[in-house]
């Protein structure tokens, strides 16, 4: 009986890549929902899906109801989301050289979803500015976590026995 081969262990595996993309996208929206609720409680703003997809009408309505607090609420939740998703990308991508690809893929898919929600491209420059800044934060968080893991010292049985022999004093 043959054992199953893990996904992604044989070079290019489209199913593995699609599951990585789906995992990162799902994590992004879970982080966004959690950040919206936490930031909503901090800023005294009611959380809604307008905060995730940042529709032009949602921004206008939110700014009218809550004023400048609403914009702080949206952009602070976007920052929290990018940090949380950056850690998820580091876990899923496993290599620092893949972090940029996964970050870019996540934001392109998010732009497509925002276009479907608005039935048009987002028209505000703030959408692109803050999402670009959020993408940079996500990329640098993911890359830093991956690089730390890659640079960590690998312990082997020989190095453990060697460190024990040096630590024992006669």
């Amino acid at each position: 009986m043959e054992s199953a081969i893990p996904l992604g262990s044989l070079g290019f595996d489209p199913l593995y890549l699609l599951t990585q993309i789906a995992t990162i996208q799902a994590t992004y929206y879970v982080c966004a929902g959690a950040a919206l609720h936490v930031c909503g409680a901090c800023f005294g703003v009611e959380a809604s899906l307008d905060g995730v997809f940042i529709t032009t009408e949602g921004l206008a309505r939110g700014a009218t109801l809550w004023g400048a607090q609403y914009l702080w609420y949206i952009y602070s939740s976007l920052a929290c989301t990018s940090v949380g998703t950056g850690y998820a990308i580091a876990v899923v991508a496993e290599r620092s050289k893949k972090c940029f690809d996964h970050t870019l893929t996540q934001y392109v898919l998010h732009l497509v979803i925002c276009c479907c929600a608005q039935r048009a491209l987002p028209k505000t420059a703030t959408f692109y500015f803050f999402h670009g800044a959020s993408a940079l934060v996500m990329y640098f968080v993911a890359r830093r976590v991956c690089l730390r893991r890659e640079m960590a010292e690998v312990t082997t049985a020989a190095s453990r026995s060697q460190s024990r022999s040096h630590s024992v004093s006669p």
Side-chain angles (χ1 to χ4, degrees):
M1 184 168 108
E2 292 184 34
S3 63
I5 299 173
L7 286 174
S9 62
L10 298 175
F12 178 71
D13 188 355
L15 180 61
Y16 183 62
L17 187 61
L18 287 174
T19 56
Q20 284 181 321
I21 291 169
T23 301
I24 291 169
Q25 203 69 27
T27 303
Y28 177 80
Y29 291 118
V30 168
C31 286
L36 284 170
H37 282 289
V38 170
C39 291
C42 291
F43 288 103
V45 175
E46 181 182 326
S48 72
L49 284 179
D50 287 335
V52 175
F53 300 113
I54 308 183
T55 61
T56 306
E57 300 83 24
L59 278 176
R61 185 175 56 247
T64 302
L65 292 175
W66 290 289
Q69 284 180 305
Y70 188 74
L71 298 177
W72 281 104
Y73 153 74
I74 293 293
Y75 300 130
S76 62
S77 65
L78 191 58
C80 293
T81 301
S82 65
V83 171
T85 309
Y87 278 100
I89 287 175
V91 170
V92 171
E94 300 171 344
R95 303 281 302 170
S96 61
K97 66 181 182 177
K98 295 180 183 179
C99 291
F100 182 75
D101 297 334
H102 283 290
T103 301
L104 190 62
T105 301
Q106 190 279 318
Y107 274 97
V108 167
L109 288 175
H110 181 64
L111 178 64
V112 168
I113 292 170
C114 286
C115 288
C116 290
Q118 292 185 19
R119 294 183 178 86
L121 276 171
K123 295 174 181 71
T124 60
T126 56
F127 176 90
Y128 295 104
F129 174 77
F130 282 104
H131 277 79
S134 177
L136 284 174
V137 169
M138 185 183 296
Y139 167 69
F140 286 123
V141 167
R143 184 165 167 83
R144 178 153 173 89
V145 171
C146 282
L147 283 174
R148 280 191 129 178
R149 191 173 343 139
E150 290 172 6
M151 295 304 200
E153 186 176 324
V154 178
T155 57
T156 60
S159 67
R160 278 183 273 178
S161 65
Q162 186 179 22
S163 66
R164 285 187 201 140
S165 66
H166 290 299
S167 63
V168 176
S169 59

